[in-house]
Amino acid sequence: MTVLTQGNESYEFLLSEANGMRSRSQVTVTIAGGVALPSGTVLGKITATGKFVKYDEAGTDDGRRVAAAVLGTPLAGTNGDIKATVFERDCEVIGARMTGLDANGTADLKLLGVIVR
């Protein structure tokens, strides 16, 4: 018997969003180490540059320790800056469909109006 496992589809984490494009923004995401970021990855925002990176509560205290958005567009494993769509306000997301979410990240997102269900 062959068992196939399907990953998350793009935007599968999204439950609802504000009218128009109010919940979404186009931002620059910096990827290091060639690690792919799937749709639904929690992101932090580097204070000095305004660029987004993978949220890491245990990481450097440069902004990445605070959840600031949820990645909408999946990003291939590469290095450098990539333009991407994120959700950073006024939406509901499905916590079980997100990558890198923890209790503190959930609280951070709530302050932005991103409600984890």
Side-chain angles (χ1 to χ4, degrees):
M1 172 187 255
T2 301
V3 177
L4 302 176
T5 303
Q6 179 176 336
N8 287 342
E9 296 293 322
S10 296
Y11 301 95
E12 187 174 353
F13 66 90
L14 186 62
L15 189 58
S16 70
E17 65 180 304
N19 289 335
M21 302 297 271
R22 196 173 88 191
S23 298
R24 302 179 188 208
S25 297
Q26 291 292 310
V27 302
T28 300
V29 178
T30 301
I31 300 177
V35 177
L37 300 179
S39 179
T41 298
V42 180
L43 301 173
K45 186 175 183 179
I46 302 300
T47 307
T49 65
K51 296 178 183 179
F52 289 77
V53 296
K54 186 175 177 183
Y55 165 72
D56 181 5
E57 180 164 0
T60 307
D61 191 13
D62 58 0
R64 73 185 70 224
R65 294 168 93 182
V66 177
V70 179
L71 182 64
T73 312
L75 301 176
T78 185
N79 288 312
D81 294 345
I82 301 174
K83 294 288 185 189
T85 300
V86 300
F87 291 83
E88 57 182 348
R89 69 186 77 78
D90 300 329
C91 64
E92 295 175 295
V93 295
I94 302 168
R97 298 279 186 229
M98 296 174 62
T99 302
L101 183 66
D102 61 16
N104 288 334
T106 299
D108 293 340
L109 292 173
K110 185 176 182 179
L111 294 173
L112 301 172
V114 177
I115 306 303
V116 178
R117 302 286 184 200

